[in-house]
Amino acid sequence: LDEARAIPDASKTALTEELRRFQGSSGCTLHVVSTTFLNGRTVRDHANALASSWLRSKRGMILAYDRATDSHAIAPSQAMWETYPTPTLVEAFREAGTLLQEKVLPLEKRLAGGAGLLMHRVIEAEQQRLLHNQLLPGHDLWAALVFFALLLAGTCGCSLIFARLRQRDAANAIRY
């Protein structure tokens, strides 16, 4: 939603496609919104209102920019806080915010760059989340299977040795 006409149409198409790919790869939604008139509300209030109405229980974020005050806000959904570590999200917001405040860059590049940084960090967080949710990732699974097989072989070997010792003790007990 570009009410402030902050992004030219050609760039808007590329950003829309990038946002679509982001949603497909991460399962999260990112909406980039620019406006010029907020009826006395802050850009943070605007972003939070949009997040609560557009995202509800979905994982996603609103990147809101107010052209009149040249300020921005990032509002994640509650599901984002529940899914990803807070320091990871805060760091992503800080990095994107730093880029959005770079006044030497054109507004179009600041918005696209900020959105790109957010998407990149969330994709990294999603990859980490998936890795940590695996019971045993990749090579660790093989190591665990080999260790389990060795334990099983050792248990069987010990059982055979103890059975043989019991037979010998029983035979010796009969002799005496």
Side-chain angles (χ1 to χ4, degrees), residues 6-174:
I7 303 172
D9 289 338
S11 298
K12 198 178 299 182
T13 305
L15 181 60
T16 302
E17 184 56 37
E18 192 175 343
L19 292 170
R20 191 172 293 121
R21 279 194 310 271
F22 168 69
Q23 185 174 9
S25 66
S26 70
C28 298
T29 305
L30 174 63
H31 296 282
V32 179
V33 178
S34 69
T35 188
T36 55
F37 187 68
L38 294 173
N39 284 339
R41 294 188 318 178
T42 65
V43 69
R44 175 146 321 278
D45 292 339
H46 182 63
N48 287 334
L50 290 176
S52 64
S53 66
W54 289 359
L55 301 174
R56 293 198 174 97
S57 62
K58 297 185 286 187
R59 285 187 295 153
M61 298 173 288
I62 303 290
L63 170 57
Y65 176 79
D66 179 28
R67 195 170 201 158
T69 60
D70 194 22
S71 59
H72 74 281
I74 301 169
S77 67
Q78 185 61 36
M80 290 292 285
W81 293 116
E82 293 167 357
T83 305
Y84 302 111
T86 300
T88 302
L89 290 177
V90 170
E91 183 65 21
F93 301 159
R94 188 192 62 73
E95 284 181 7
T98 301
L99 181 62
L100 286 164
Q101 294 302 316
E102 284 291 327
K103 307 298 185 211
V104 294
L105 295 174
L107 178 57
E108 164 195 350
K109 291 199 183 298
R110 291 177 4 208
L111 286 174
L117 274 173
L118 281 173
M119 289 185 281
H120 176 73
R121 296 289 258 156
V122 169
I123 286 172
E124 284 178 349
E126 178 66 14
Q127 290 170 344
Q128 286 296 316
R129 184 184 74 83
L130 292 175
L131 182 65
H132 289 295
N133 284 345
Q134 287 180 347
L135 180 60
L136 290 171
H139 64 279
D140 292 343
L141 178 61
W142 283 108
L145 289 174
V146 167
F147 182 71
F148 180 71
L150 289 173
L151 277 176
L152 191 58
T155 302
C156 291
C158 286
S159 297
L160 289 174
I161 291 170
F162 287 131
R164 197 70 158 129
L165 287 173
R166 272 186 259 144
Q167 283 178 346
R168 191 182 73 186
D169 287 346
N172 285 339
I174 293 174

